[in-house]
Amino acid sequence: MVDLRVEQLRQSGDVDVASTDAYYQQYPHVLEAVELFGGKRTVMPNLALKPDEIAALTAFFNYAAEIDTAGWPPARQADAAVVERLQAEFGVVPPTAVETAPTPASPVSLEVQGKQLAGELGCLACHSTDGTQRSGPTFKGLFGATVPLQDGSTVIVDEAYLRESILGPNAKIRQGFSAGSMPAYEGRVSPAEIDALIAYIKSLK
């Protein structure tokens, strides 16, 4: 609340006013903003920040804006069952059902589907696509490579290995990585989704 924040600033001595009303008289643009937002004093007040504090906040905002989130959080997906229940409960009919026939969607390649799925499942939080080392092996140049395992053997990264690593990642542990760091996706992804993920990994040469 603007009034509460002004009172805090007034009591701390950061603003020299006798009351919140006096504050609005001294800073009329704040009152204009309050009125613009429906007369509720809930907009951001003048915080009377010092120049070095403003510079520090600006630096933090710039830093936060450049953080690589690696596709996280995943895109939200509506639960079809919930949508159908709400449509039935409130009598909502999708516009395309009564106005026009839906436009056929352009086919999406397996690589694109796999990229989207990798973001939704959080794969890119542990596996980079540019060779950067993270908690899991990078996807860049992974397919077709010969990699060492913890038991001293090696394996060629082909479709069978990738499929096994997705469904049961502890079956063959890469050298330099720990067992249990990746969850098993057995029963959590469909065969078609696995095909899409593999196609995406194969495309990252």
Side-chain angles (χ1 to χ4, degrees), residues 44-196:
M44 183 173 178
N46 185 336
L47 298 179
L49 295 173
K50 299 179 179 64
D52 59 332
E53 293 174 328
I54 295 174
L57 279 173
T58 302
F60 171 73
F61 293 148
N62 286 333
Y63 159 76
E66 295 176 2
I67 292 176
D68 180 8
T69 61
W72 190 264
R76 295 182 179 179
Q77 292 185 336
D79 188 318
V82 174
V83 172
E84 291 178 2
R85 178 176 60 79
L86 293 177
Q87 287 176 347
E89 182 176 348
F90 295 100
V92 178
V93 179
T96 53
V98 295
E99 295 175 2
T100 59
T103 303
S106 301
V108 179
S109 68
L110 272 181
E111 291 86 351
V112 173
Q113 294 177 43
K115 180 178 181 179
Q116 180 179 352
L117 189 59
E120 293 174 355
L121 293 175
C123 304
L124 302 182
C126 300
H127 303 277
S128 75
T129 60
D130 60 1
T132 303
Q133 184 63 50
R134 294 181 181 165
S135 59
T138 181
F139 284 162
K140 182 178 177 61
L142 179 61
F143 189 82
T146 300
V147 298
L149 302 179
Q150 280 189 358
D151 62 6
S153 64
T154 60
V155 64
I156 297 176
V157 179
D158 55 13
E159 292 190 9
Y161 171 78
L162 289 176
R163 194 177 304 276
E164 181 183 48
S165 297
I166 293 170
L167 297 177
N170 291 326
K172 292 184 178 70
I173 306 300
R174 280 277 301 271
Q175 195 174 92
F177 298 93
S178 302
S181 58
M182 175 175 168
Y185 283 87
E186 179 75 50
R188 299 173 60 186
V189 289
S190 67
E193 289 174 326
I194 295 176
D195 290 340

